[in-house]
Amino acid sequence: MPFAVLGALLSPAAALKSPSGKYDFQLVLEDGGARYSVTYDGTNLVLPSALGFRLKSGEVLGNDIDGMTASAPREVETTWKPVYGERSVVT
């Protein structure tokens, strides 16, 4: 499914929207950490929540983030195979 990336250059916030505009993913940097939220058609699905990453090395990223790299709007269309679900391929 293609998504339009609507990030701002060197901004503390970025957003992803579905092609229909009904799904909206927000990523915000606050107090050195990343927070995200998800809405569908204006209804909150995931309230602002902490986001972090645990690397294979055991290092945890998420409490000391101080900026995002530049981004520009683009469309991505890809196919992937989910581990669980009703369909074996999602496009």
Side-chain angles (χ1 to χ4, degrees), residues 42-64:
T43 301
N44 291 325
L45 297 179
V46 178
L47 294 173
S49 303
L51 177 64
F53 301 95
R54 183 179 305 271
L55 306 179
K56 280 186 175 182
S57 67
E59 181 181 4
V60 176
L61 303 176
N63 296 327
D64 56 358

Side-chain angles (χ1 to χ4, degrees), residues 4-9 11 13-16 71-73:
V5 178
L6 306 173
L9 296 177
S11 167
L16 294 173
S71 64

Side-chain angles (χ1 to χ4, degrees), residues 2-91:
F3 280 86
V5 178
L6 306 173
L9 296 177
L10 299 174
S11 167
L16 294 173
K17 279 196 177 287
S18 65
S20 68
K22 290 189 177 206
Y23 285 97
D24 186 23
F25 174 88
Q26 299 285 325
L27 177 65
V28 179
L29 298 183
E30 295 178 331
D31 302 324
R35 299 183 67 73
Y36 75 101
S37 62
V38 181
T39 61
Y40 174 76
D41 207 17
T43 301
N44 291 325
L45 297 179
V46 178
L47 294 173
S49 303
L51 177 64
F53 301 95
R54 183 179 305 271
L55 306 179
K56 280 186 175 182
S57 67
E59 181 181 4
V60 176
L61 303 176
N63 296 327
D64 56 358
I65 299 171
D66 59 6
M68 288 188 212
T69 59
S71 64
R74 68 184 180 122
E75 264 192 31
V76 177
E77 190 164 337
T78 186
T79 299
W80 57 279
K81 294 184 179 189
V83 176
Y84 299 103
E86 296 177 9
R87 294 184 275 172
S88 63
V89 175
V90 177
T91 55

